[in-house]
Amino acid sequence: MNKSVIVNKSCALKGNIEVSGAKNSILPIICASLLTDDVVELSNVPDLNDVHVLIGILEDLGKRSMFEKDKLTLYPTDELNINIPIFISETASKIRYSILILGALLAKGHEVSLPLPGGCSFSERPIDIHLEGLRKLGATIEEHPNKIIAKSDRLKGAHIKLRFPSVGATENLVIASTLAQGVTIIENAAREPEIEDLINFLNSLGAKIEIEEPGKIKIIGVESLIKKQSIKHKIIPDRIEAATFIILGAIAAEDFITIKKMNVTHNLAFLNLLQKIGVKFEIINNSTLKVYKSTNLIGTKIETDIYPSIATDIQPLLAVLLTQAKGESTIIDSIYPSRFQYIKYLNLMGANIQYLDSSEGIKIIGETKLYGHKVLSTDLRGGAAVLLAGILAENTTIIENSYQIFRGYSDLENKLLGLNVRLGNSSDKILQMI
Ligand code: EPU
């Protein structure tokens, strides 16, 4: 689905928009479901391409599933023979989170051959922290140019200190050590809300996992996770999607729009930053926020960091907001220092953004008028940035490579149309693919 999206200037948005379940929660939770042979019923599941790809990989492994509306039911796996090596298909290389299948299958004592994972291509994304941790748990891992071959008998609990609090590596090691013999301690672990969601899910399966203090996770390995009852779990709201809609309201609401089904607590640092920039919003309750059309924005210095600081995934969207602010802004991305491919396309639309270097990030000269242009969705959030810019820009913007955007935003077309975003070539046209 490598098609283009057409979007027209739409600066009179109004109404409500609902946030879906978090992409970065559902992906590890689907992988973790490989640990149980109980029926798993997940709700608030976003309908995303990456979710479908991952379900497909699990189906190759014998897990049946049913995905209807926002409910995903995963049924027990037909018994996998642990003496037969498992070859994960090339499909897995399309999404980075296929790497978490490794932790789950090693936990169950399998020998696995996995193609190297893909995902958003905005930066080099190594997996050394994952592999080092799995080795500490007793796995034998061979690294080949395009694949990994890994095996283990029962993994053994270990004390692991991560050299960086990687989200994916923390999730992989939590999943892997759930069934390990003995206790595992993960220090310098990631603290993102999605980690807590995964832990809550695993505990509902019968795991014994505790966040002892922020950044320190204790896992007491259990023999198995069979409870002989179906497990229900609701995925937390997507905080990056919520942030995207808040910025959308600030730049393009007629008066205000209302964001529903979010979790305000997960976006606190972002909301504090918006206040500093001059965005006007009102927190109605923890799941509902009204954001007003905001003018008189002030140029600001931003640096992304691990949770609870400003997420790297939000910085391309903030860059669009800051093209409208008075004065100069800078954004440094300390998680992915070169995640700025999208600025080329914002500049084509009239923005004035300069890449300095990986330690100084980008400089944005504000108060620029944006104009529709043919642009490229360089990656998921870079694509969302040019989409926001297209909504703000004069005339029409055509976004190529748009499948990238749909990797992270569930039901986006209907949500935007519900706010009066003018998509396609005529008023009654849905998000038009050309
Ligand atoms: N890193 C290593 N070695 C590793 C793992 C990570 O050097 O083995 C480095 C990365 O290169 C990066 C930093 O550690 O510089 C952070 O990477 P992390 O592992 O935390 O990221 P991830 O788990 O691969 C998740 C999200 C990303 C989000 C990052 C950072 C999911 C599915 N993906 O990726 O989400 O940018 O955490 O918060 O959870 C997105 O939603 O647009 C997206 C890319």
Side-chain angles (χ1 to χ4, degrees):
M1 204 193 41
N2 212 357
K3 300 185 180 156
S4 302
V5 163
I6 298 180
V7 57
N8 303 292
K9 178 174 175 154
S10 325
C11 280
L13 306 190
K14 53 180 155 197
N16 303 327
I17 189 162
E18 288 187 357
V19 174
S20 299
K23 164 178 88 73
N24 293 347
S25 264
I26 185 64
L27 297 175
I29 284 177
I30 291 175
C31 295
S33 73
L34 277 168
L35 295 183
T36 179
D37 282 333
D38 287 322
V39 174
V40 170
E41 293 175 24
L42 302 171
S43 59
N44 203 28
V45 177
D47 188 3
L48 302 171
N49 190 45
D50 282 11
V51 172
H52 289 281
V53 172
L54 198 53
I55 292 172
I57 298 170
L58 260 64
E59 284 185 347
D60 288 346
L61 293 173
K63 213 165 204 28
R64 286 176 304 110
S65 66
M66 193 168 67
F67 192 2
E68 265 182 0
K69 293 200 175 140
D70 69 342
K71 306 257 182 302
L72 172 64
T73 309
L74 297 161
Y75 297 98
T77 320
D78 296 333
E79 200 46 47
L80 293 172
N81 185 340
I82 60 165
N83 297 316
I84 298 174
I86 294 173
F87 293 93
I88 311 277
S89 78
E90 278 303 311
T91 323
S93 62
K94 287 191 194 158
I95 57 167
R96 180 168 172 83
Y97 262 55
S98 56
I99 186 73
L100 301 195
I101 293 174
L102 192 59
L105 290 177
L106 285 174
K108 295 204 94 177
H110 294 290
E111 177 171 345
V112 190
S113 169
L114 179 82
L116 283 176
C120 263
S121 55
F122 49 73
S123 167
E124 204 186 317
R125 296 176 75 186
I127 51 168
D128 58 304
I129 306 175
H130 297 245
L131 301 188
E132 194 186 325
L134 291 171
R135 285 186 175 116
K136 284 211 167 121
L137 292 171
T140 313
I141 302 175
E142 289 170 27
E143 293 174 68
H144 297 269
N146 296 315
K147 66 176 176 190
I148 295 161
I149 299 178
K151 61 182 166 190
S152 68
D153 295 324
R154 189 171 176 200
L155 295 172
K156 288 197 174 52
H159 195 126
I160 303 168
K161 185 160 184 184
L162 305 186
R163 75 165 168 79
F164 180 86
S166 152
V167 174
T170 301
E171 291 164 345
N172 218 345
L173 299 175
V174 167
I175 294 172
S177 52
T178 293
L179 298 179
Q181 193 177 18
V183 176
T184 298
I185 303 282
I186 306 174
E187 282 195 80
N188 201 24
R191 305 168 186 198
E192 274 64 7
E194 293 76 21
I195 304 281
E196 207 176 322
D197 202 23
L198 172 68
I199 292 175
N200 289 339
F201 170 69
L202 284 166
N203 283 340
S204 74
L205 299 180
K208 290 193 175 148
I209 309 172
E210 188 192 336
I211 300 179
E212 283 203 320
E213 57 189 70
K216 185 171 179 191
I217 303 173
K218 178 179 178 184
I219 304 112
I220 302 175
V222 295
E223 285 281 330
S224 77
L225 290 177
I226 299 168
K227 286 174 107 182
K228 299 225 182 302
Q229 64 185 56
S230 67
I231 313 292
K232 292 186 172 44
H233 182 84
K234 185 173 177 190
I235 302 298
I236 59 169
D238 194 308
R239 62 197 163 95
I240 310 300
E241 191 192 10
T244 309
F245 296 156
I246 293 170
I247 294 178
L248 174 63
I251 58 175
E254 183 170 55
D255 181 13
F256 67 88
I257 64 168
T258 306
I259 323 290
K260 296 194 158 182
K261 296 196 178 175
M262 65 174 290
N263 184 328
V264 168
T265 315
H266 294 164
N267 280 101
L268 286 183
F270 169 68
L271 292 173
N272 285 337
L273 172 68
L274 289 188
Q275 223 155 22
K276 205 168 134 196
I277 297 173
V279 171
K280 296 195 171 38
F281 60 86
E282 187 186 341
I283 296 169
I284 308 297
N285 55 46
N286 200 43
S287 63
T288 311
L289 180 145
K290 248 180 181 179
V291 58
Y292 295 86
K293 165 79 183 172
S294 302
T295 47
N296 303 321
L297 302 175
I298 306 157
T300 307
K301 288 189 189 329
I302 297 175
E303 184 160 357
T304 71
D305 210 338
I306 53 173
Y307 189 84
S309 296
I310 302 298
T312 164
D313 302 333
I314 303 178
Q315 64 85 355
L317 313 161
L318 283 165
V320 179
L321 180 72
L322 293 170
T323 64
Q324 304 307 301
K326 195 173 163 60
E328 197 178 294
S329 300
T330 52
I331 302 181
I332 297 172
D333 192 332
S334 62
I335 306 296
Y336 296 110
S338 57
R339 190 182 191 173
F340 294 112
Q341 291 81 352
Y342 66 87
I343 67 169
K344 171 176 170 192
Y345 298 98
L346 292 183
N347 284 341
L348 279 180
M349 297 177 76
N352 185 350
I353 310 178
Q354 195 191 341
Y355 176 68
L356 303 169
D357 59 41
S358 57
S359 58
E360 292 195 58
I362 55 171
K363 181 168 89 179
I364 304 168
I365 307 295
E367 293 183 297
T368 45
K369 196 162 176 64
L370 302 181
Y371 298 90
H373 208 283
K374 196 178 223 181
V375 294
L376 191 75
S377 175
T378 50
D379 58 87
L380 162 55
R381 307 300 170 189
V386 290
L387 178 61
L388 289 185
I391 292 172
L392 186 63
E394 295 300 315
N395 305 324
T396 300
T397 297
I398 300 174
I399 306 170
E400 295 185 328
N401 215 23
S402 65
Y403 82 94
Q404 288 280 5
I405 308 175
F406 297 100
R407 290 187 40 238
Y409 293 89
S410 182
D411 199 22
L412 184 61
E413 174 182 318
N414 287 324
K415 289 181 183 179
L416 294 180
L417 286 171
L419 291 178
N420 281 347
V421 173
R422 294 165 56 230
L423 298 163
N425 273 339
S426 67
S427 56
D428 60 349
K429 263 273 164 61
I430 56 161
L431 203 118
Q432 183 173 319
M433 304 294 188
I434 56 170

